[in-house]
Amino acid sequence: VQLQASGGGLVQAGGSLRLSCLASGTFFSGITMRWYRQAPGKQRELVALITSGGNTIYDDSVKGRFTISRDNAKKTMYLQMNSLKVEDTAVYYCNSLPEWAPASFSGYWGQGTQVTVSS
């Protein structure tokens, strides 16, 4: 399983970015896809997830600003980030988790893409 995240960059506060995560070497159905982020000196945190059925969950800090989506035909997940804030600065990681996996399994990880929001 390989996950390739892209779309990060430098943007001013209030701007937008769209992250993509391409999955290869795996099927895409029955997989919950997740975006995490890790800011310097902080723990990795869940930003949003989307199940194989299209249900979504967002962290409170991004609700109303970020939108997670997926294109199953392209095996790609997206994160549209609007109204970006300086505190959104972090490395963003995509993660795939088979929905039948045991609770002890944390899923597969991509390499991360840097998002930097300037004031």
Side-chain angles (χ1 to χ4, degrees):
V1 177
Q2 289 187 329
L3 301 173
Q4 184 174 352
S6 61
L10 173 64
V11 64
Q12 286 190 329
S16 298
L17 283 174
R18 187 174 85 151
L19 305 184
S20 299
C21 176
L22 173 64
S24 61
T26 182
F27 38 83
F28 209 58
S29 59
I31 305 292
T32 288
M33 297 297 295
R34 305 184 289 189
W35 284 104
Y36 283 79
R37 66 186 179 188
Q38 187 167 19
K42 295 188 177 181
Q43 289 189 331
R44 192 172 295 189
E45 62 177 5
L46 177 66
V47 176
L49 67 83
I50 183 166
T51 68
S52 60
N55 295 314
T56 58
I57 294 176
Y58 296 91
D59 183 77
D60 286 345
S61 66
V62 306
K63 280 181 182 177
R65 301 188 298 120
F66 291 10
T67 302
I68 189 171
S69 61
R70 62 192 289 165
D71 184 330
N72 292 332
K74 295 181 178 179
K75 293 187 178 180
T76 302
M77 169 180 65
Y78 304 97
L79 186 68
Q80 178 66 43
M81 305 186 294
N82 298 328
S83 301
L84 281 161
K85 303 176 180 180
V86 172
E87 49 265 42
D88 294 319
T89 295
V91 178
Y92 284 70
Y93 298 91
C94 55
N95 173 280
S96 68
L97 181 66
E99 289 163 0
W100 59 88
S104 58
F105 183 58
S106 62
Y108 302 97
W109 294 91
Q111 86 286 7
T113 185
Q114 175 71 47
V115 172
T116 303
V117 184
S118 64
S119 59

